[in-house]
Amino acid sequence: MSTNGSVFDRAKGLFLHYAKPLKLDERHPGTKILERLTTPDKIMAFRLSLQMDDGSVQVFPAYRVQFNDDLGPYKGGLRFHPQVTLEEVKALAFWMYLKTAVVNIPFGGGKGGITVDYKSLSTAEKERLTKKFAIVLANDIGENTDIPAPDVNTGPQEMAWMSHAWRMSTGQYNRAMITGKPLDLGGSLGRTEATGHGCAITMLEAARDAGIDPNGATMVIQGFGNAGRYAAIEMGHQGTKTIVASDSRAAVHNPDGLDVQALIEHKDKTGSVANFPGGKTMDPNGVLTAECDFLVPAALEDCITAEIAPKIQAKIIGEAANGPTTQDAIHILYERGITVIPDVLANSGGVTVSYFEWVQNRQEYYWTREEVIDRMRARLVNAYREIADRAKAEDTSLRQAAYENAIERVVRAALERGAQ
Ligand code: GLU
């Protein structure tokens, strides 16, 4: 059952399911390769105490998991959210190394997080907490070891604080130790938009394969945060209407298409899509099953369950979130013939532009937005094509093909490095 065990146990189960046709134990006997690929290299779990503005103290659990570095230094975001657990961070770190392998960039995978209601903190409390996190991790992160980035509830401001705290702890000015920074501090043009933009690029490729014209098509966004809003903007450039958008508090719909720019402004001002004057409020439970061509789950894990999957009406699903679909639901959607662009491909635009930011930082030579976007598009289209061709040849899902491509790349590198 896909709902048994922790989110990490389920991620591991899914990996082993997709690795099966590769017969790794048979082809590489005695190497323990499957165990190596499903066990994190290093887990750091620690306590962060924070002095609040009123002088009281609060304590928060924090984590960094370095899962696998066979293809390059650990890479992956930082999530500051009340639902963060070690098991979740392990699953997210696991998916990161698969994702970097899917798009063929020279990184491994890691992830970090703090279990905290981050949005409820003041700006000064946020800065102190983020800087403390960087100081505790100072010896374990760096340009050639482990490079953090944004994830849920973190963005350029948190990356700026992290990089400054790291600079003060180590005495070194090093921009490439973290990505997703503000432009003034060595960030890359196009990085903030990259996850949603990349999701749109992969959905447009899938639409072409499925013979769906994006112009006039409809889209539903579950989770109108960073990834969701930029997916809506990019698909809007192709004529696709976003008819439903939701967040953790509310859902709005407009069958003629929501004014995405106005909705972004409303959300930035009020903190939610709730009470948006350009749409009608709807039951958030109906968002994933609303009638549409494109569905973008862009919130947290395990939203599309076996109960919801039979009722989904979308033709193409672009997983902007990490792990939004349970294993049972994955099989149901495949049986129903719905095209699902798996998270490890659909949301890989973010880490792809993180890679470009790291490259630019190492050269201290900066690219134009056009150069960044063109290079991202080339990588994602190439990864999509490789995966779609393999899926077609093997008569299987995009996710199976993506995992096979990724696992083969990592296995080759792991075996070349040796076990010692
Ligand atoms: N947190 C993002 C992800 O899940 C980006 C990671 C990165 O840029 O390193 O892919």
Side-chain angles (χ1 to χ4, degrees), residues 75-77 96 99 111 149-151 191 322 350-351 354:
K75 183 87 193 79
M96 271 318 298
K99 192 184 308 187
K111 201 84 175 196
D151 196 77
R191 174 63 187 86
N322 290 304
V351 73
S354 275

Side-chain angles (χ1 to χ4, degrees), residues 86-113:
L86 175 57
E87 292 304 293
E88 185 195 42
V89 178
K90 276 163 63 182
L92 291 163
F94 190 14
W95 290 326
M96 271 318 298
Y97 93 74
L98 294 168
K99 192 184 308 187
T100 52
V102 162
V103 273
N104 206 7
I105 56 180
F107 289 130
K111 201 84 175 196

Side-chain angles (χ1 to χ4, degrees), residues 42-239:
K42 185 172 175 179
I43 293 174
M44 289 165 272
F46 44 96
R47 166 186 59 77
L48 290 179
S49 52
L50 171 70
Q51 182 147 48
M52 310 300 283
D53 293 343
D54 66 5
S56 66
V57 172
Q58 286 199 29
V59 173
F60 304 103
Y63 312 97
R64 181 77 183 167
V65 172
Q66 297 176 334
F67 209 105
N68 182 289
D69 73 346
D70 283 320
L71 288 172
Y74 305 106
K75 183 87 193 79
L78 303 174
R79 179 172 293 200
F80 296 173
H81 192 274
Q83 279 172 31
V84 165
T85 61
L86 175 57
E87 292 304 293
E88 185 195 42
V89 178
K90 276 163 63 182
L92 291 163
F94 190 14
W95 290 326
M96 271 318 298
Y97 93 74
L98 294 168
K99 192 184 308 187
T100 52
V102 162
V103 273
N104 206 7
I105 56 180
F107 289 130
K111 201 84 175 196
I114 308 177
T115 315
V116 56
D117 184 5
Y118 190 66
K119 283 185 182 166
S120 72
L121 302 183
S122 72
T123 304
E125 288 163 348
K126 286 178 176 168
E127 178 176 346
R128 286 199 294 276
L129 185 67
T130 305
K131 287 188 168 170
K132 194 149 188 194
F133 186 71
I135 290 164
V136 173
L137 285 176
N139 292 326
D140 293 287
I141 57 179
E143 170 184 359
N144 294 310
T145 46
D146 182 357
I147 305 127
D151 196 77
V152 174
N153 287 343
T154 60
Q157 177 61 81
E158 282 70 25
M159 302 306 112
W161 288 332
M162 291 281 301
S163 93
H164 187 51
W166 194 85
R167 191 255 183 279
M168 289 191 291
S169 307
T170 62
Q172 293 174 53
Y173 208 127
N174 181 314
R175 297 187 218 270
M177 55 73 55
I178 199 160
T179 60
K181 300 177 292 291
L183 291 180
D184 304 312
L185 298 175
S188 175
L189 290 163
R191 174 63 187 86
T192 302
E193 307 90 301
T195 306
H197 194 161
C199 182
I201 290 170
T202 61
M203 288 196 296
L204 292 169
E205 288 300 302
R208 190 183 327 175
D209 282 356
I212 296 170
D213 184 358
N215 192 4
T218 54
M219 182 163 74
V220 168
I221 308 268
Q222 181 239 8
F224 200 68
N226 176 279
R229 62 172 62 179
Y230 288 110
I233 291 175
E234 281 309 313
M235 293 300 286
H237 290 155
Q238 306 304 318

Side-chain angles (χ1 to χ4, degrees), residues 297-342:
L300 299 176
E301 299 89 61
D302 294 338
C303 297
I304 302 179
T305 59
E307 287 72 51
I308 289 174
K311 295 184 247 161
I312 281 183
Q313 302 190 63
K315 300 186 182 89
I316 293 178
I317 301 179
E319 292 185 338
N322 290 304
T325 314
T326 67
Q327 190 167 352
D328 291 345
I330 285 172
H331 297 312
I332 294 169
L333 295 172
Y334 182 63
E335 291 304 320
R336 292 189 58 213
I338 296 172
T339 300
V340 181
I341 307 163

